Amino acid sequence: RVKAFADEISSLEDKNLARRLYEVYVAKLSGSGLSKEDLKAGAQQFLSEGNAYLAKSLFDVYLNSLSQDNESQDNESQDNELKARETVAVADRFANGDATEGLDPVFAEEMYKKAYDMAGIAAFKSDSSYRRAFNLERMKEFNAAYDGYNDLLSNSPDYARKQNIYFRMGVIAAYAKKDTDKASEYFLKIKDAFPEDVLAACSLYQLGLLSQFKKDFEKAKEYYSAIAADKSELGLLAQERLKEIEETREFKYGLKLF
């Protein structure tokens, strides 16, 4: 009944009252003797219903229940690592993804940080390390994101999506750090090492932009021409940039994050 009333209040835009009621509801659940598995399943159910606030609260209760177990076990280091991995799994549910908007990116980063403080890099699988860096990038924490991508390259040199890391680092280098030379290095790595990947064409376009920005028009034309025949939005953009160069028109594309 408490949850149903809170849902109704929330639908009427009284978010503060709804949250207080949700807190009462979570307190009742946490004191009801539910197993860890039930707490986790309940939190996931709330998440699937679109109630991120209630899901976060119950995930916190679930993770705290793991801490209580740790106090009674001998191998505290191993238990901390297991809890840290569960914390990362919770963070992944709320973080920004390549094709998804994060439900609560700030909460996700808080969870990632807690996990790292508990167990270091051992808490993270490669995909979670990538997601954390991407989440930070979307939060405009560009230096932290760049360092996260760089650490992933160091810790997982055989990472299957290495081209994605190069591209994200190239974007940050160009548009946040304003280091166009370093950005070009990353885009060239994709062009040379992953010529058939979809990011190869994107990298050629970025290389064209950076060259055009530096007024190296011959090099810009080389990069744009490599993709101008593509029947895609990227190909059309490359054609527009080539026209700008041929007609000595002003460079209209502002260097910005996309």
Side-chain angles (χ1 to χ4, degrees):
R1 292 180 180 179
V2 174
K3 179 181 179 297
F5 183 52
D7 289 342
E8 183 177 351
I9 293 296
S10 180
S11 69
L12 296 175
E13 302 300 325
D14 193 340
K15 303 298 184 184
N16 290 331
L17 178 56
R19 286 184 177 184
R20 289 197 294 272
L21 290 170
Y22 284 141
E23 288 166 4
V24 171
Y25 179 66
V26 169
K28 289 183 65 176
L29 286 178
S30 61
S32 64
L34 287 176
S35 68
K36 294 188 296 295
E37 292 75 15
D38 286 340
L39 289 170
K40 183 178 180 181
Q44 184 58 48
Q45 178 62 33
F46 294 140
L47 196 61
S48 66
E49 293 173 356
N51 194 326
Y53 183 81
L54 195 49
K56 287 189 298 182
S57 299
L58 203 55
F59 273 127
D60 273 335
V61 174
Y62 164 66
L63 292 173
N64 287 335
S65 74
L66 300 181
S67 297
Q68 293 165 7
D69 280 356
N70 285 341
E71 293 173 359
S72 63
Q73 296 180 7
D74 295 331
N75 196 340
E76 184 176 351
S77 176
Q78 183 178 7
D79 293 334
N80 278 342
E81 185 174 319
L82 290 172
K83 184 196 173 184
R85 288 178 179 173
E86 281 295 294
T87 303
V88 168
V90 170
D92 284 344
R93 291 174 167 89
F94 291 88
N96 287 301
D98 279 332
T100 57
E101 189 75 18
L103 292 172
D104 193 330
V106 174
F107 173 77
E109 175 53 25
E110 290 173 357
M111 292 294 101
Y112 285 134
K113 187 176 186 305
K114 285 183 180 179
Y116 189 85
D117 289 344
M118 279 188 281
I121 194 62
F124 293 78
K125 293 182 180 179
S126 297
D127 283 342
S128 291
S129 292
Y130 178 87
R131 194 173 186 110
R132 183 185 187 184
F134 189 83
N135 189 59
L136 287 165
E137 182 183 350
R138 284 293 182 257
M139 292 168 62
K140 301 188 185 305
E141 298 289 344
F142 297 120
N143 288 332
Y146 189 89
D147 290 343
Y149 289 130
N150 198 41
D151 289 344
L152 178 53
L153 286 175
S154 299
N155 294 324
S156 302
D158 297 324
Y159 183 56
R161 300 166 63 197
K162 189 179 292 186
Q163 65 272 34
N164 295 62
I165 302 176
Y166 290 152
F167 192 79
R168 301 319 313 166
M169 293 182 76
V171 167
I172 295 174
Y175 303 112
K177 292 177 171 290
K178 307 301 181 185
D179 188 342
T180 56
D181 289 338
K182 178 59 69 175
S184 294
E185 288 181 21
Y186 287 118
F187 294 134
L188 283 169
K189 284 182 179 181
I190 299 172
K191 166 185 171 293
D192 295 336
F194 305 94
E196 302 303 319
D197 192 271
V198 65
L199 288 177
C202 297
S203 296
L204 284 166
Y205 184 70
Q206 291 301 312
L207 287 164
L209 288 177
L210 295 174
S211 299
Q212 188 177 0
F213 181 72
K214 291 188 286 188
K215 300 188 184 305
D216 187 347
F217 298 121
E218 289 305 312
K219 187 58 86 172
K221 286 166 62 177
E222 175 186 334
Y223 292 131
Y224 290 141
S225 296
I227 57 173
D230 290 351
K231 295 180 180 180
S232 64
E233 182 180 1
L234 202 61
L236 293 174
L237 288 171
Q239 292 174 30
E240 178 61 27
R241 302 286 82 76
L242 285 168
K243 287 181 181 178
E244 286 176 350
I245 295 171
E246 292 298 328
E247 298 172 7
T248 63
R249 286 190 279 127
E250 182 181 353
F251 183 36
K252 293 183 178 180
Y253 189 97
L255 287 182
K256 61 183 180 180
L257 187 63
F258 57 91

